[in-house]
Amino acid sequence: MALTGLEIFKLLPKTNCKKCGMPTCLAFAMQLAQKRAKLEDCPDVSDEAKEKLAAAAAPPMQKVVFGTGDNQVQLGQETVIFRHEEKFYSPTVLAATVSDKLTGDDLKKRIDAVNSLHFERVGTKIGVRAVAVTNDSGESEPFVQAAAAVKDAGDPPLILVTDSAEAMAAAVAKVSDSVPLLASATPETAEAMAKIAKENNCPLVAKAESIEALSELSEKIKAQGVEDIVLSLDGLSIRDQLFNLSRIRVLSLKKVFRPLGYPTISFVADGDSDEQTAVATSLICKYSGIVVVDTVEPHAFLPMLTAVMNIYSDPQKPVQVEPKVYPIGEPNADSPVMFTTNFSLTYYTVESDVEASRIPSYILVVDTEGTSVLTAYSGDKLNEKTVADAMTKNGIEDLVKHRKLIIPGYVAVMSGKLEEATNWEIMVGPRECSMLPKYLQEVWK
Ligand code: SF4
């Protein structure tokens, strides 16, 4: 629990020496409680007090990482229940399974299928971020072989999934330098699994069927020296999972209940790929740090990844592209010039429609602070001056011989003033950019 001002005061030297810049120790304690002062500002605070205060100031949800190098993934450290309160920090990691029952070509095919689950959406690369090797064989050797095969095929962040401490120890011995996430310790295997995690410096999943059992288990694992823990609710319906994941979030962030102050992982194995997509997307929304699915269908992954992308963007900061001129194809001095705004979704929609026209063009992206055409126009971020300035700044006059500018149909109303501001002929384009290919092919001359 976070300490109150009075609780902090009790830990201070109480000499009122003013070295911290405050008139009294009590005033300093109140500032500290409100996170408006730093403990280091008091030079006389004891080591014991420092330790207690540092523990109280620790983030309510632990950061957990696994994987190495560029492939390392980070979980946890969330601070809010609802995205609009600030933003969510650690995007849900989507993982796909590789069963250790697969061998030879089948194993290779599955690994290739998992590794190909990467896409580009509005200029951002998204994709599967971890591979969960599952010990479906129930034996150690196939588990070791499958984990090694996944590691050799690109060394992605690994999740080793087995309830057998023996199989876990064998697989970790083979891939420990990849810093895998070990899933999972149950109340029965906690001691053995925690030992493996501690010896190999790997994070460990604690798995139980209720919040109460989970908090006891995380404490037990922590007492054995494992700090990096991920929580897993086992054997619950999707309704109960969502309910309890929400409770964990509230208890960890609002009540700062340390035994539940860890990120979570969920496993989705039932149903076809469409059902898994629906369940996984619900779990992404509330509030799984990792979702492991048992499908490698690209059509199933893309909506899940899109959900992650949308939920984990900053609601106060629209996704933007750099304001500049974008050549589409290989335009020349006779190519059309059009403008749009730097709202990412708007730009990439226009870009793909211009590409579809097969007419090399220039798209001038005007800085409207990431807002769409109509929003920017109504907020006066898109007007004849901002467009004319963007044209000058980006040297549009030097790119083409003609003086014709295509503008979005929705802002046809600005054509008169824009013509005066630029001395260019203004051509009003279609309202919907899906009509751009037809417009460029038939109207552009
Ligand atoms: S520096 Fe420390 S001891 Fe001195 S007044 Fe501030 S809090 Fe109290």
Side-chain angles (χ1 to χ4, degrees):
M1 296 279 287
L3 298 182
T4 64
L6 278 179
E7 286 166 334
I8 295 171
F9 173 65
K10 286 179 194 161
L11 297 167
L12 295 177
K14 302 188 201 69
T15 56
N16 297 333
C17 72
K18 301 188 178 58
K19 286 184 215 164
C20 59
M22 298 285 158
T24 61
C25 291
L26 182 60
F28 180 68
M30 293 303 173
Q31 293 291 307
L32 208 55
Q34 291 169 31
K35 299 195 185 340
R36 289 190 189 142
K38 293 188 291 264
L39 187 60
E40 304 86 82
D41 294 342
C42 171
D44 300 329
V45 69
S46 69
D47 287 344
E48 187 197 347
K50 267 185 201 162
E51 206 175 298
K52 285 186 183 167
L53 288 166
M61 187 188 289
Q62 172 103 1
K63 175 171 110 175
V64 175
V65 296
F66 66 104
T68 55
D70 291 346
N71 288 338
Q72 189 180 68
V73 291
Q74 178 183 313
L75 313 166
Q77 279 204 313
E78 299 297 347
T79 56
V80 292
I81 309 287
F82 301 109
R83 177 175 172 264
H84 64 260
E85 292 172 331
E86 191 198 349
K87 66 172 189 174
F88 295 159
Y89 282 92
S90 301
T92 303
V93 173
L94 280 174
T97 53
V98 171
S99 170
D100 72 349
K101 277 190 169 175
L102 298 173
T103 55
D105 277 355
D106 292 339
L107 179 60
K108 186 177 177 310
K109 261 191 218 159
R110 179 74 177 194
I111 295 171
D112 289 347
V114 172
N115 287 342
S116 69
L117 291 167
H118 292 275
F119 311 86
E120 187 166 328
R121 185 174 178 272
V122 287
T124 303
K125 290 188 177 11
I126 52 178
V128 67
R129 291 173 66 208
V131 181
V133 181
T134 55
N135 184 211
D136 300 320
S137 72
E139 292 168 20
S140 296
E141 192 47 35
F143 193 45
V144 173
Q145 295 305 325
V150 172
K151 176 179 158 56
D152 290 347
D155 200 11
L158 276 170
I159 305 171
L160 299 177
V161 186
T162 179
D163 285 340
S164 156
E166 191 187 326
M168 186 67 88
V172 174
K174 188 79 175 174
V175 298
S176 63
D177 56 338
S178 298
V179 194
L181 172 64
L182 315 187
S184 307
T186 60
E188 295 73 34
T189 61
E191 209 169 304
M193 289 289 192
K195 189 164 178 282
I196 299 167
K198 187 155 188 261
E199 283 173 359
N200 292 281
N201 218 6
C202 296
L204 178 62
V205 175
K207 181 172 77 171
E209 290 181 2
S210 69
I211 284 191
E212 292 71 23
L214 210 43
S215 48
E216 269 177 39
L217 183 57
S218 71
E219 288 289 85
K220 191 172 171 183
I221 291 170
K222 194 176 174 195
Q224 300 215 15
V226 178
E227 297 277 340
D228 293 344
I229 299 171
V230 178
L231 306 176
S232 172
L233 286 160
D234 187 37
L236 302 184
S237 66
I238 178 64
R239 175 196 170 282
D240 288 346
Q241 270 198 74
L242 293 173
F243 177 70
N244 283 301
L245 284 167
S246 302
R247 277 181 70 206
I248 289 175
R249 182 77 159 213
V250 171
L251 287 167
S252 61
L253 298 193
K254 291 288 178 204
K255 303 287 178 190
V256 198
F257 183 59
R258 298 288 182 197
L260 294 175
Y262 301 100
T264 53
I265 182 170
S266 304
F267 293 87
V268 182
D270 296 336
D272 61 20
S273 58
D274 294 341
E275 287 167 299
Q276 289 191 33
T277 303
V279 170
T281 305
S282 304
L283 292 164
I284 289 163
C285 295
K286 299 261 175 199
Y287 288 97
S288 270
I290 306 173
V291 176
V292 180
V293 293
D294 199 22
T295 174
V296 289
E297 295 289 349
H299 73 261
F301 257 81
L302 196 52
M304 293 187 266
L305 292 164
T306 302
V308 174
M309 197 177 181
N310 286 339
I311 291 165
Y312 284 86
S313 59
D314 186 340
Q316 281 141 42
K317 223 186 266 174
V319 187
Q320 304 179 21
V321 294
E322 189 188 345
K324 64 175 187 177
V325 182
Y326 290 80
I328 309 299
E330 291 178 2
N332 57 35
D334 296 316
S335 297
V337 179
M338 64 206 77
F339 77 77
T340 188
T341 72
N342 70 327
F343 177 43
S344 196
L345 197 56
T346 301
Y347 170 74
Y348 282 105
T349 312
V350 173
E351 185 206 66
S352 92
D353 286 321
V354 173
E355 264 175 5
S357 76
R358 297 181 180 278
I359 294 183
S361 306
Y362 291 105
I363 303 177
L364 170 66
V365 170
V366 180
D367 186 357
T368 57
E369 297 170 23
T371 50
S372 64
V373 169
L374 273 181
T375 309
Y377 179 73
S378 41
D380 207 24
K381 288 179 184 142
L382 183 69
N383 54 42
E384 70 279 6
K385 186 167 179 334
T386 54
V387 176
D389 286 352
M391 289 172 70
T392 307
K393 189 177 164 199
N394 288 284
I396 295 290
E397 282 199 2
D398 301 329
L399 291 177
V400 289
K401 288 187 300 200
H402 63 79
R403 294 294 178 258
K404 292 178 184 172
L405 177 68
I406 301 168
I407 71 171
Y410 276 118
V411 288
V413 65
M414 69 189 281
S415 53
K417 283 186 178 173
L418 190 55
E419 207 155 82
E420 280 172 25
T422 59
N423 281 326
W424 280 45
E425 179 188 337
I426 304 302
M427 298 177 68
V428 176
R431 285 181 154 226
E432 302 299 336
C433 66
S434 57
M435 298 303 292
L436 262 173
K438 191 170 162 46
Y439 179 89
L440 290 173
Q441 283 156 6
E442 295 178 7
V443 181
W444 166 258
K445 295 283 186 275

